[in-house]
Amino acid sequence: MKKEELKELINEFESTTLSRLTIEEKDFKVTLEKNNSYTPVTTSQVVTQTTMPVIEAPVSVKSIKAPLVGTFYLTRSPESKPLVTVGQHIKVGDVVGIIEAMKVMNEIQADKEGIVKAILAPSGKLVEYDQPLLELE
């Protein structure tokens, strides 16, 4: 049995309600068993499949959202530097962007403190109400 065929067999077995399956061909034997949360695979050629749980440290992720619909800008003018950059520490009240709505430029102030993890809204593009603009840690 080829590796691709074995992978396909495992995938098919996982999607069934069977708890055990044994297949024998000439000099090859494979047994699949289910036990709720894992699927060990054993064969005469000693093939095993093990999955390890991924444990991540709890990280508090916050976002700053658009308070209105309009065009989002990261700079005050095309030639000025960005108001925020990834990795920058911001405080409550810091201006983090501008949204142009009905020809009025509205400064967007941070309502949370943190470090900018990602800038989610591209400068010069339309944003919707409550759309995340920045992700903070």
Side-chain angles (χ1 to χ4, degrees):
M1 181 174 276
K2 294 181 182 176
K3 185 177 180 180
E4 292 79 26
E5 292 173 326
L6 186 58
K7 285 182 179 180
E8 185 177 325
L9 178 65
I10 291 169
N11 289 335
E12 288 291 323
F13 178 69
E14 287 177 344
S15 66
T16 68
T17 58
L18 296 174
S19 61
R20 181 180 172 103
L21 174 67
T22 301
I23 296 178
E24 291 185 46
E25 293 180 1
K26 296 182 184 173
D27 62 344
F28 180 80
K29 179 180 177 182
V30 64
T31 301
L32 303 174
E33 291 184 28
K34 284 186 198 176
N35 187 3
N36 293 339
S37 63
Y38 68 93
T39 307
V41 178
T42 58
T43 68
S44 59
Q45 296 177 350
V46 189
V47 175
T48 60
Q49 177 182 352
T50 307
T51 57
M52 298 295 292
V54 177
I55 300 173
E56 296 179 14
V59 176
S60 174
V61 177
K62 306 172 268 190
S63 64
I64 295 177
K65 297 181 179 182
L68 67 158
V69 176
T71 304
F72 176 70
Y73 297 101
L74 281 169
T75 59
R76 293 185 189 277
S77 67
E79 58 277 342
S80 65
K81 66 178 188 165
L83 294 164
V84 294
T85 57
V86 174
Q88 179 180 342
H89 183 268
I90 60 172
K91 296 177 275 186
V92 174
D94 287 354
V95 177
V96 297
I98 296 172
I99 294 182
E100 178 185 2
M102 298 176 58
K103 304 290 183 196
V104 175
M105 298 300 211
N106 301 281
E107 289 186 344
I108 308 305
Q109 295 182 345
D111 57 349
K112 299 169 184 78
E113 184 175 331
I115 297 172
V116 178
K117 182 178 177 184
I119 298 173
L120 304 173
S123 191
K125 298 295 181 184
L126 181 68
V127 293
E128 298 293 328
Y129 172 75
D130 214 29
Q131 176 181 336
L133 304 173
L134 304 173
E135 191 174 279
L136 306 177
E137 278 188 338

